Amino acid sequence: MRNKSDYRYRRAKEKVAEIKGFYGNLLAYCLVIPFLIWINYQTTSFPWAFFPAFGWGLGLLGHAANAFDYNPFFGKDWERRKLEEFMKNDEL
């Protein structure tokens, strides 16, 4: 029973670390991107700050999806259906 409890604790600790990492990434995004926009505004009329904001934003969305277990394509429901399908096929 102790091994199961240790495993659950370790998984919960890893999950908390993932979420904490996401919030750190979000904080950095919220601090750096406005600074880049300010530099962009001060130096040139070409909106180059859009590119790092967009790229980092996509990465941030991926990080959030991973940290909060959101996957619309291969989520828990999909896994359950596939497991049931393979188990059903294995019976035949």
Side-chain angles (χ1 to χ4, degrees):
M1 189 66 171
R2 181 160 165 79
N3 288 339
K4 187 175 183 180
S5 178
D6 289 345
Y7 173 76
R8 288 175 52 205
Y9 175 76
R10 191 175 68 238
R11 287 290 301 143
K13 192 171 180 176
E14 289 171 1
K15 197 65 178 163
V16 167
E18 273 185 45
I19 293 170
K20 191 175 175 182
F22 164 73
Y23 283 125
N25 193 1
L26 180 62
L27 176 64
Y29 181 86
C30 290
L31 294 174
V32 171
I33 295 302
F35 181 67
L36 291 178
I37 291 170
W38 179 77
I39 290 173
N40 186 185
Y41 178 73
Q42 296 295 321
T43 58
T44 182
S45 63
F46 180 73
W48 57 262
F50 168 77
F51 298 109
F54 181 74
W56 193 351
L58 284 178
L60 195 58
L61 286 175
H63 197 172
N66 188 38
F68 296 109
D69 292 328
Y70 177 72
N71 191 337
F73 303 109
F74 300 110
K76 299 274 186 212
D77 191 45
W78 177 85
E79 286 181 24
R80 181 188 50 75
R81 286 194 319 264
K82 279 299 182 187
L83 282 170
E84 289 173 1
E85 177 185 332
F86 289 138
M87 288 170 59
K88 183 180 175 185
N89 289 341
D90 198 33
E91 288 177 358
L92 300 176

PDB file of all heavy atoms in Angstrom, residues 59-91:
ATOM      1  N   GLY A  59       3.564  28.660 -27.744  1.00  0.00           N
ATOM      2  CA  GLY A  59       4.241  27.791 -26.782  1.00  0.00           C
ATOM      3  C   GLY A  59       3.569  27.817 -25.428  1.00  0.00           C
ATOM      4  O   GLY A  59       3.453  26.792 -24.745  1.00  0.00           O
ATOM      5  N   LEU A  60       3.106  28.987 -25.031  1.00  0.00           N
ATOM      6  CA  LEU A  60       2.408  29.143 -23.759  1.00  0.00           C
ATOM      7  C   LEU A  60       1.091  28.365 -23.753  1.00  0.00           C
ATOM      8  O   LEU A  60       0.735  27.726 -22.757  1.00  0.00           O
ATOM      9  CB  LEU A  60       2.162  30.623 -23.488  1.00  0.00           C
ATOM     10  CG  LEU A  60       1.763  31.043 -22.091  1.00  0.00           C
ATOM     11  CD1 LEU A  60       2.811  30.628 -21.078  1.00  0.00           C
ATOM     12  CD2 LEU A  60       1.569  32.542 -22.051  1.00  0.00           C
ATOM     13  N   LEU A  61       0.387  28.390 -24.867  1.00  0.00           N
ATOM     14  CA  LEU A  61      -0.855  27.604 -24.974  1.00  0.00           C
ATOM     15  C   LEU A  61      -0.572  26.108 -24.851  1.00  0.00           C
ATOM     16  O   LEU A  61      -1.308  25.375 -24.185  1.00  0.00           O
ATOM     17  CB  LEU A  61      -1.566  27.900 -26.292  1.00  0.00           C
ATOM     18  CG  LEU A  61      -2.276  29.231 -26.384  1.00  0.00           C
ATOM     19  CD1 LEU A  61      -2.832  29.433 -27.795  1.00  0.00           C
ATOM     20  CD2 LEU A  61      -3.390  29.326 -25.359  1.00  0.00           C
ATOM     21  N   GLY A  62       0.490  25.658 -25.511  1.00  0.00           N
ATOM     22  CA  GLY A  62       0.877  24.255 -25.400  1.00  0.00           C
ATOM     23  C   GLY A  62       1.270  23.882 -23.983  1.00  0.00           C
ATOM     24  O   GLY A  62       0.922  22.803 -23.488  1.00  0.00           O
ATOM     25  N   HIS A  63       1.988  24.778 -23.336  1.00  0.00           N
ATOM     26  CA  HIS A  63       2.392  24.543 -21.951  1.00  0.00           C
ATOM     27  C   HIS A  63       1.166  24.456 -21.044  1.00  0.00           C
ATOM     28  O   HIS A  63       1.085  23.590 -20.168  1.00  0.00           O
ATOM     29  CB  HIS A  63       3.320  25.665 -21.507  1.00  0.00           C
ATOM     30  CG  HIS A  63       4.121  25.367 -20.281  1.00  0.00           C
ATOM     31  ND1 HIS A  63       5.116  26.181 -19.834  1.00  0.00           N
ATOM     32  CD2 HIS A  63       4.066  24.358 -19.381  1.00  0.00           C
ATOM     33  CE1 HIS A  63       5.635  25.688 -18.732  1.00  0.00           C
ATOM     34  NE2 HIS A  63       5.009  24.576 -18.435  1.00  0.00           N
ATOM     35  N   ALA A  64       0.194  25.342 -21.255  1.00  0.00           N
ATOM     36  CA  ALA A  64      -1.038  25.318 -20.464  1.00  0.00           C
ATOM     37  C   ALA A  64      -1.811  24.023 -20.694  1.00  0.00           C
ATOM     38  O   ALA A  64      -2.317  23.416 -19.749  1.00  0.00           O
ATOM     39  CB  ALA A  64      -1.907  26.524 -20.805  1.00  0.00           C
ATOM     40  N   ALA A  65      -1.916  23.612 -21.947  1.00  0.00           N
ATOM     41  CA  ALA A  65      -2.640  22.372 -22.256  1.00  0.00           C
ATOM     42  C   ALA A  65      -1.987  21.184 -21.562  1.00  0.00           C
ATOM     43  O   ALA A  65      -2.680  20.306 -21.034  1.00  0.00           O
ATOM     44  CB  ALA A  65      -2.681  22.163 -23.763  1.00  0.00           C
ATOM     45  N   ASN A  66      -0.672  21.163 -21.538  1.00  0.00           N
ATOM     46  CA  ASN A  66       0.045  20.071 -20.889  1.00  0.00           C
ATOM     47  C   ASN A  66      -0.110  20.141 -19.368  1.00  0.00           C
ATOM     48  O   ASN A  66      -0.364  19.120 -18.715  1.00  0.00           O
ATOM     49  CB  ASN A  66       1.526  20.122 -21.268  1.00  0.00           C
ATOM     50  CG  ASN A  66       2.285  18.921 -20.783  1.00  0.00           C
ATOM     51  OD1 ASN A  66       1.780  17.809 -20.803  1.00  0.00           O
ATOM     52  ND2 ASN A  66       3.498  19.150 -20.337  1.00  0.00           N
ATOM     53  N   ALA A  67       0.017  21.325 -18.806  1.00  0.00           N
ATOM     54  CA  ALA A  67      -0.045  21.478 -17.348  1.00  0.00           C
ATOM     55  C   ALA A  67      -1.431  21.171 -16.792  1.00  0.00           C
ATOM     56  O   ALA A  67      -1.563  20.617 -15.713  1.00  0.00           O
ATOM     57  CB  ALA A  67       0.377  22.891 -16.953  1.00  0.00           C
ATOM     58  N   PHE A  68      -2.472  21.529 -17.544  1.00  0.00           N
ATOM     59  CA  PHE A  68      -3.836  21.350 -17.056  1.00  0.00           C
ATOM     60  C   PHE A  68      -4.558  20.181 -17.714  1.00  0.00           C
ATOM     61  O   PHE A  68      -5.783  20.081 -17.661  1.00  0.00           O
ATOM     62  CB  PHE A  68      -4.626  22.650 -17.229  1.00  0.00           C
ATOM     63  CG  PHE A  68      -4.071  23.775 -16.405  1.00  0.00           C
ATOM     64  CD1 PHE A  68      -3.408  24.826 -17.008  1.00  0.00           C
ATOM     65  CD2 PHE A  68      -4.195  23.764 -15.026  1.00  0.00           C
ATOM     66  CE1 PHE A  68      -2.884  25.860 -16.250  1.00  0.00           C
ATOM     67  CE2 PHE A  68      -3.678  24.786 -14.259  1.00  0.00           C
ATOM     68  CZ  PHE A  68      -3.014  25.835 -14.875  1.00  0.00           C
ATOM     69  N   ASP A  69      -3.803  19.286 -18.338  1.00  0.00           N
ATOM     70  CA  ASP A  69      -4.346  18.057 -18.939  1.00  0.00           C
ATOM     71  C   ASP A  69      -5.483  18.315 -19.907  1.00  0.00           C
ATOM     72  O   ASP A  69      -6.520  17.644 -19.869  1.00  0.00           O
ATOM     73  CB  ASP A  69      -4.818  17.078 -17.863  1.00  0.00           C
ATOM     74  CG  ASP A  69      -3.663  16.509 -17.064  1.00  0.00           C
ATOM     75  OD1 ASP A  69      -2.573  16.362 -17.645  1.00  0.00           O
ATOM     76  OD2 ASP A  69      -3.849  16.216 -15.875  1.00  0.00           O
ATOM     77  N   TYR A  70      -5.311  19.295 -20.766  1.00  0.00           N
ATOM     78  CA  TYR A  70      -6.335  19.577 -21.783  1.00  0.00           C
ATOM     79  C   TYR A  70      -5.797  19.142 -23.133  1.00  0.00           C
ATOM     80  O   TYR A  70      -4.801  19.659 -23.616  1.00  0.00           O
ATOM     81  CB  TYR A  70      -6.681  21.065 -21.828  1.00  0.00           C
ATOM     82  CG  TYR A  70      -7.670  21.389 -22.913  1.00  0.00           C
ATOM     83  CD1 TYR A  70      -8.995  21.010 -22.793  1.00  0.00           C
ATOM     84  CD2 TYR A  70      -7.275  22.039 -24.066  1.00  0.00           C
ATOM     85  CE1 TYR A  70      -9.908  21.279 -23.787  1.00  0.00           C
ATOM     86  CE2 TYR A  70      -8.175  22.314 -25.072  1.00  0.00           C
ATOM     87  CZ  TYR A  70      -9.491  21.937 -24.929  1.00  0.00           C
ATOM     88  OH  TYR A  70     -10.381  22.193 -25.931  1.00  0.00           O
ATOM     89  N   ASN A  71      -6.448  18.167 -23.714  1.00  0.00           N
ATOM     90  CA  ASN A  71      -6.081  17.690 -25.037  1.00  0.00           C
ATOM     91  C   ASN A  71      -7.363  17.296 -25.759  1.00  0.00           C
ATOM     92  O   ASN A  71      -7.887  16.207 -25.549  1.00  0.00           O
ATOM     93  CB  ASN A  71      -5.131  16.498 -24.944  1.00  0.00           C
ATOM     94  CG  ASN A  71      -4.536  16.154 -26.281  1.00  0.00           C
ATOM     95  OD1 ASN A  71      -5.084  16.482 -27.326  1.00  0.00           O
ATOM     96  ND2 ASN A  71      -3.411  15.481 -26.263  1.00  0.00           N
ATOM     97  N   PRO A  72      -7.881  18.176 -26.618  1.00  0.00           N
ATOM     98  CA  PRO A  72      -9.155  17.884 -27.270  1.00  0.00           C
ATOM     99  C   PRO A  72      -9.081  16.733 -28.268  1.00  0.00           C
ATOM    100  O   PRO A  72     -10.095  16.142 -28.598  1.00  0.00           O
ATOM    101  CB  PRO A  72      -9.504  19.192 -27.969  1.00  0.00           C
ATOM    102  CG  PRO A  72      -8.209  19.875 -28.181  1.00  0.00           C
ATOM    103  CD  PRO A  72      -7.339  19.462 -27.025  1.00  0.00           C
ATOM    104  N   PHE A  73      -7.891  16.392 -28.732  1.00  0.00           N
ATOM    105  CA  PHE A  73      -7.763  15.344 -29.737  1.00  0.00           C
ATOM    106  C   PHE A  73      -7.532  13.971 -29.121  1.00  0.00           C
ATOM    107  O   PHE A  73      -8.144  12.988 -29.509  1.00  0.00           O
ATOM    108  CB  PHE A  73      -6.630  15.673 -30.703  1.00  0.00           C
ATOM    109  CG  PHE A  73      -6.815  17.007 -31.374  1.00  0.00           C
ATOM    110  CD1 PHE A  73      -6.004  18.072 -31.054  1.00  0.00           C
ATOM    111  CD2 PHE A  73      -7.833  17.195 -32.294  1.00  0.00           C
ATOM    112  CE1 PHE A  73      -6.175  19.295 -31.656  1.00  0.00           C
ATOM    113  CE2 PHE A  73      -8.023  18.418 -32.898  1.00  0.00           C
ATOM    114  CZ  PHE A  73      -7.183  19.479 -32.576  1.00  0.00           C
ATOM    115  N   PHE A  74      -6.641  13.887 -28.156  1.00  0.00           N
ATOM    116  CA  PHE A  74      -6.307  12.609 -27.533  1.00  0.00           C
ATOM    117  C   PHE A  74      -6.450  12.691 -26.020  1.00  0.00           C
ATOM    118  O   PHE A  74      -5.558  12.336 -25.271  1.00  0.00           O
ATOM    119  CB  PHE A  74      -4.872  12.200 -27.899  1.00  0.00           C
ATOM    120  CG  PHE A  74      -4.654  12.049 -29.368  1.00  0.00           C
ATOM    121  CD1 PHE A  74      -3.868  12.959 -30.050  1.00  0.00           C
ATOM    122  CD2 PHE A  74      -5.241  11.019 -30.068  1.00  0.00           C
ATOM    123  CE1 PHE A  74      -3.667  12.828 -31.413  1.00  0.00           C
ATOM    124  CE2 PHE A  74      -5.041  10.882 -31.426  1.00  0.00           C
ATOM    125  CZ  PHE A  74      -4.251  11.791 -32.103  1.00  0.00           C
ATOM    126  N   GLY A  75      -7.593  13.145 -25.554  1.00  0.00           N
ATOM    127  CA  GLY A  75      -7.845  13.318 -24.124  1.00  0.00           C
ATOM    128  C   GLY A  75      -8.237  12.019 -23.450  1.00  0.00           C
ATOM    129  O   GLY A  75      -8.168  10.923 -24.024  1.00  0.00           O
ATOM    130  N   LYS A  76      -8.671  12.137 -22.211  1.00  0.00           N
ATOM    131  CA  LYS A  76      -9.041  10.974 -21.404  1.00  0.00           C
ATOM    132  C   LYS A  76     -10.199  10.192 -22.031  1.00  0.00           C
ATOM    133  O   LYS A  76     -10.214   8.973 -22.011  1.00  0.00           O
ATOM    134  CB  LYS A  76      -9.429  11.413 -19.996  1.00  0.00           C
ATOM    135  CG  LYS A  76      -8.321  12.099 -19.243  1.00  0.00           C
ATOM    136  CD  LYS A  76      -7.459  11.095 -18.563  1.00  0.00           C
ATOM    137  CE  LYS A  76      -6.443  11.824 -17.688  1.00  0.00           C
ATOM    138  NZ  LYS A  76      -5.209  11.126 -17.580  1.00  0.00           N
ATOM    139  N   ASP A  77     -11.175  10.900 -22.586  1.00  0.00           N
ATOM    140  CA  ASP A  77     -12.316  10.232 -23.201  1.00  0.00           C
ATOM    141  C   ASP A  77     -11.876   9.405 -24.405  1.00  0.00           C
ATOM    142  O   ASP A  77     -12.328   8.282 -24.602  1.00  0.00           O
ATOM    143  CB  ASP A  77     -13.374  11.265 -23.619  1.00  0.00           C
ATOM    144  CG  ASP A  77     -14.676  10.615 -24.008  1.00  0.00           C
ATOM    145  OD1 ASP A  77     -15.126   9.707 -23.277  1.00  0.00           O
ATOM    146  OD2 ASP A  77     -15.245  11.009 -25.049  1.00  0.00           O
ATOM    147  N   TRP A  78     -10.972   9.950 -25.204  1.00  0.00           N
ATOM    148  CA  TRP A  78     -10.451   9.219 -26.363  1.00  0.00           C
ATOM    149  C   TRP A  78      -9.703   7.972 -25.900  1.00  0.00           C
ATOM    150  O   TRP A  78      -9.873   6.895 -26.478  1.00  0.00           O
ATOM    151  CB  TRP A  78      -9.522  10.123 -27.172  1.00  0.00           C
ATOM    152  CG  TRP A  78      -8.889   9.436 -28.332  1.00  0.00           C
ATOM    153  CD1 TRP A  78      -9.427   9.267 -29.575  1.00  0.00           C
ATOM    154  CD2 TRP A  78      -7.614   8.803 -28.365  1.00  0.00           C
ATOM    155  NE1 TRP A  78      -8.552   8.572 -30.386  1.00  0.00           N
ATOM    156  CE2 TRP A  78      -7.425   8.280 -29.650  1.00  0.00           C
ATOM    157  CE3 TRP A  78      -6.609   8.636 -27.433  1.00  0.00           C
ATOM    158  CZ2 TRP A  78      -6.277   7.601 -30.028  1.00  0.00           C
ATOM    159  CZ3 TRP A  78      -5.465   7.957 -27.792  1.00  0.00           C
ATOM    160  CH2 TRP A  78      -5.314   7.444 -29.080  1.00  0.00           C
ATOM    161  N   GLU A  79      -8.873   8.123 -24.851  1.00  0.00           N
ATOM    162  CA  GLU A  79      -8.126   6.979 -24.322  1.00  0.00           C
ATOM    163  C   GLU A  79      -9.078   5.883 -23.855  1.00  0.00           C
ATOM    164  O   GLU A  79      -8.856   4.707 -24.135  1.00  0.00           O
ATOM    165  CB  GLU A  79      -7.244   7.414 -23.147  1.00  0.00           C
ATOM    166  CG  GLU A  79      -6.028   8.199 -23.544  1.00  0.00           C
ATOM    167  CD  GLU A  79      -5.184   8.566 -22.334  1.00  0.00           C
ATOM    168  OE1 GLU A  79      -5.274   7.872 -21.295  1.00  0.00           O
ATOM    169  OE2 GLU A  79      -4.445   9.553 -22.435  1.00  0.00           O
ATOM    170  N   ARG A  80     -10.127   6.270 -23.137  1.00  0.00           N
ATOM    171  CA  ARG A  80     -11.088   5.284 -22.625  1.00  0.00           C
ATOM    172  C   ARG A  80     -11.750   4.532 -23.770  1.00  0.00           C
ATOM    173  O   ARG A  80     -11.861   3.315 -23.753  1.00  0.00           O
ATOM    174  CB  ARG A  80     -12.142   5.979 -21.762  1.00  0.00           C
ATOM    175  CG  ARG A  80     -13.168   5.026 -21.167  1.00  0.00           C
ATOM    176  CD  ARG A  80     -14.311   5.749 -20.467  1.00  0.00           C
ATOM    177  NE  ARG A  80     -14.939   6.804 -21.263  1.00  0.00           N
ATOM    178  CZ  ARG A  80     -15.775   6.579 -22.299  1.00  0.00           C
ATOM    179  NH1 ARG A  80     -16.073   5.354 -22.656  1.00  0.00           N
ATOM    180  NH2 ARG A  80     -16.313   7.599 -22.938  1.00  0.00           N
ATOM    181  N   ARG A  81     -12.189   5.275 -24.806  1.00  0.00           N
ATOM    182  CA  ARG A  81     -12.841   4.636 -25.956  1.00  0.00           C
ATOM    183  C   ARG A  81     -11.894   3.674 -26.670  1.00  0.00           C
ATOM    184  O   ARG A  81     -12.291   2.570 -27.051  1.00  0.00           O
ATOM    185  CB  ARG A  81     -13.346   5.699 -26.932  1.00  0.00           C
ATOM    186  CG  ARG A  81     -14.571   6.435 -26.466  1.00  0.00           C
ATOM    187  CD  ARG A  81     -15.224   7.233 -27.584  1.00  0.00           C
ATOM    188  NE  ARG A  81     -14.282   7.918 -28.454  1.00  0.00           N
ATOM    189  CZ  ARG A  81     -13.913   9.186 -28.344  1.00  0.00           C
ATOM    190  NH1 ARG A  81     -14.403   9.933 -27.380  1.00  0.00           N
ATOM    191  NH2 ARG A  81     -13.066   9.727 -29.200  1.00  0.00           N
ATOM    192  N   LYS A  82     -10.633   4.086 -26.842  1.00  0.00           N
ATOM    193  CA  LYS A  82      -9.666   3.223 -27.524  1.00  0.00           C
ATOM    194  C   LYS A  82      -9.365   1.976 -26.704  1.00  0.00           C
ATOM    195  O   LYS A  82      -9.256   0.872 -27.255  1.00  0.00           O
ATOM    196  CB  LYS A  82      -8.360   3.979 -27.817  1.00  0.00           C
ATOM    197  CG  LYS A  82      -8.452   4.845 -29.042  1.00  0.00           C
ATOM    198  CD  LYS A  82      -8.743   3.976 -30.243  1.00  0.00           C
ATOM    199  CE  LYS A  82      -8.809   4.768 -31.507  1.00  0.00           C
ATOM    200  NZ  LYS A  82      -9.245   3.947 -32.645  1.00  0.00           N
ATOM    201  N   LEU A  83      -9.221   2.136 -25.398  1.00  0.00           N
ATOM    202  CA  LEU A  83      -8.984   0.972 -24.548  1.00  0.00           C
ATOM    203  C   LEU A  83     -10.136  -0.013 -24.643  1.00  0.00           C
ATOM    204  O   LEU A  83      -9.920  -1.231 -24.775  1.00  0.00           O
ATOM    205  CB  LEU A  83      -8.792   1.409 -23.091  1.00  0.00           C
ATOM    206  CG  LEU A  83      -7.434   1.989 -22.739  1.00  0.00           C
ATOM    207  CD1 LEU A  83      -7.468   2.594 -21.342  1.00  0.00           C
ATOM    208  CD2 LEU A  83      -6.357   0.939 -22.836  1.00  0.00           C
ATOM    209  N   GLU A  84     -11.365   0.492 -24.576  1.00  0.00           N
ATOM    210  CA  GLU A  84     -12.530  -0.378 -24.693  1.00  0.00           C
ATOM    211  C   GLU A  84     -12.570  -1.055 -26.051  1.00  0.00           C
ATOM    212  O   GLU A  84     -12.889  -2.245 -26.165  1.00  0.00           O
ATOM    213  CB  GLU A  84     -13.805   0.423 -24.458  1.00  0.00           C
ATOM    214  CG  GLU A  84     -14.001   0.851 -23.019  1.00  0.00           C
ATOM    215  CD  GLU A  84     -15.179   1.790 -22.838  1.00  0.00           C
ATOM    216  OE1 GLU A  84     -15.874   2.117 -23.839  1.00  0.00           O
ATOM    217  OE2 GLU A  84     -15.406   2.198 -21.685  1.00  0.00           O
ATOM    218  N   GLU A  85     -12.228  -0.311 -27.114  1.00  0.00           N
ATOM    219  CA  GLU A  85     -12.222  -0.878 -28.460  1.00  0.00           C
ATOM    220  C   GLU A  85     -11.194  -2.009 -28.567  1.00  0.00           C
ATOM    221  O   GLU A  85     -11.505  -3.079 -29.099  1.00  0.00           O
ATOM    222  CB  GLU A  85     -11.898   0.226 -29.476  1.00  0.00           C
ATOM    223  CG  GLU A  85     -11.795  -0.263 -30.901  1.00  0.00           C
ATOM    224  CD  GLU A  85     -11.359   0.853 -31.839  1.00  0.00           C
ATOM    225  OE1 GLU A  85     -11.626   2.037 -31.561  1.00  0.00           O
ATOM    226  OE2 GLU A  85     -10.721   0.501 -32.855  1.00  0.00           O
ATOM    227  N   PHE A  86      -9.980  -1.800 -28.078  1.00  0.00           N
ATOM    228  CA  PHE A  86      -8.949  -2.827 -28.167  1.00  0.00           C
ATOM    229  C   PHE A  86      -9.276  -4.030 -27.304  1.00  0.00           C
ATOM    230  O   PHE A  86      -9.006  -5.171 -27.695  1.00  0.00           O
ATOM    231  CB  PHE A  86      -7.591  -2.255 -27.777  1.00  0.00           C
ATOM    232  CG  PHE A  86      -7.025  -1.297 -28.814  1.00  0.00           C
ATOM    233  CD1 PHE A  86      -6.413  -0.132 -28.423  1.00  0.00           C
ATOM    234  CD2 PHE A  86      -7.121  -1.556 -30.168  1.00  0.00           C
ATOM    235  CE1 PHE A  86      -5.897   0.771 -29.350  1.00  0.00           C
ATOM    236  CE2 PHE A  86      -6.610  -0.684 -31.119  1.00  0.00           C
ATOM    237  CZ  PHE A  86      -5.993   0.475 -30.687  1.00  0.00           C
ATOM    238  N   MET A  87      -9.857  -3.779 -26.131  1.00  0.00           N
ATOM    239  CA  MET A  87     -10.237  -4.896 -25.276  1.00  0.00           C
ATOM    240  C   MET A  87     -11.354  -5.717 -25.931  1.00  0.00           C
ATOM    241  O   MET A  87     -11.347  -6.940 -25.860  1.00  0.00           O
ATOM    242  CB  MET A  87     -10.686  -4.381 -23.898  1.00  0.00           C
ATOM    243  CG  MET A  87      -9.525  -3.867 -23.070  1.00  0.00           C
ATOM    244  SD  MET A  87     -10.010  -2.989 -21.581  1.00  0.00           S
ATOM    245  CE  MET A  87     -10.946  -4.203 -20.711  1.00  0.00           C
ATOM    246  N   LYS A  88     -12.294  -5.038 -26.596  1.00  0.00           N
ATOM    247  CA  LYS A  88     -13.373  -5.727 -27.281  1.00  0.00           C
ATOM    248  C   LYS A  88     -12.827  -6.545 -28.446  1.00  0.00           C
ATOM    249  O   LYS A  88     -13.203  -7.704 -28.645  1.00  0.00           O
ATOM    250  CB  LYS A  88     -14.404  -4.740 -27.775  1.00  0.00           C
ATOM    251  CG  LYS A  88     -15.600  -5.362 -28.430  1.00  0.00           C
ATOM    252  CD  LYS A  88     -16.582  -4.305 -28.895  1.00  0.00           C
ATOM    253  CE  LYS A  88     -17.706  -4.949 -29.662  1.00  0.00           C
ATOM    254  NZ  LYS A  88     -18.619  -3.955 -30.234  1.00  0.00           N
ATOM    255  N   ASN A  89     -11.896  -5.978 -29.207  1.00  0.00           N
ATOM    256  CA  ASN A  89     -11.307  -6.695 -30.334  1.00  0.00           C
ATOM    257  C   ASN A  89     -10.477  -7.875 -29.884  1.00  0.00           C
ATOM    258  O   ASN A  89     -10.364  -8.879 -30.577  1.00  0.00           O
ATOM    259  CB  ASN A  89     -10.444  -5.747 -31.188  1.00  0.00           C
ATOM    260  CG  ASN A  89     -11.287  -4.762 -31.967  1.00  0.00           C
ATOM    261  OD1 ASN A  89     -12.481  -4.970 -32.162  1.00  0.00           O
ATOM    262  ND2 ASN A  89     -10.670  -3.684 -32.382  1.00  0.00           N
ATOM    263  N   ASP A  90      -9.867  -7.760 -28.707  1.00  0.00           N
ATOM    264  CA  ASP A  90      -9.024  -8.825 -28.183  1.00  0.00           C
ATOM    265  C   ASP A  90      -9.870 -10.027 -27.746  1.00  0.00           C
ATOM    266  O   ASP A  90      -9.398 -11.151 -27.756  1.00  0.00           O
ATOM    267  CB  ASP A  90      -8.209  -8.294 -27.009  1.00  0.00           C
ATOM    268  CG  ASP A  90      -7.021  -9.178 -26.691  1.00  0.00           C
ATOM    269  OD1 ASP A  90      -6.461  -9.761 -27.646  1.00  0.00           O
ATOM    270  OD2 ASP A  90      -6.664  -9.278 -25.511  1.00  0.00           O
ATOM    271  N   GLU A  91     -11.130  -9.793 -27.398  1.00  0.00           N
ATOM    272  CA  GLU A  91     -12.014 -10.884 -26.979  1.00  0.00           C
ATOM    273  C   GLU A  91     -12.401 -11.772 -28.148  1.00  0.00           C
ATOM    274  O   GLU A  91     -12.675 -12.944 -27.966  1.00  0.00           O
ATOM    275  CB  GLU A  91     -13.273 -10.317 -26.338  1.00  0.00           C
ATOM    276  CG  GLU A  91     -13.062  -9.716 -24.973  1.00  0.00           C
ATOM    277  CD  GLU A  91     -14.332  -9.098 -24.424  1.00  0.00           C
ATOM    278  OE1 GLU A  91     -15.366  -9.114 -25.127  1.00  0.00           O
ATOM    279  OE2 GLU A  91     -14.294  -8.586 -23.305  1.00  0.00           O
TER     280      GLU A  91
END
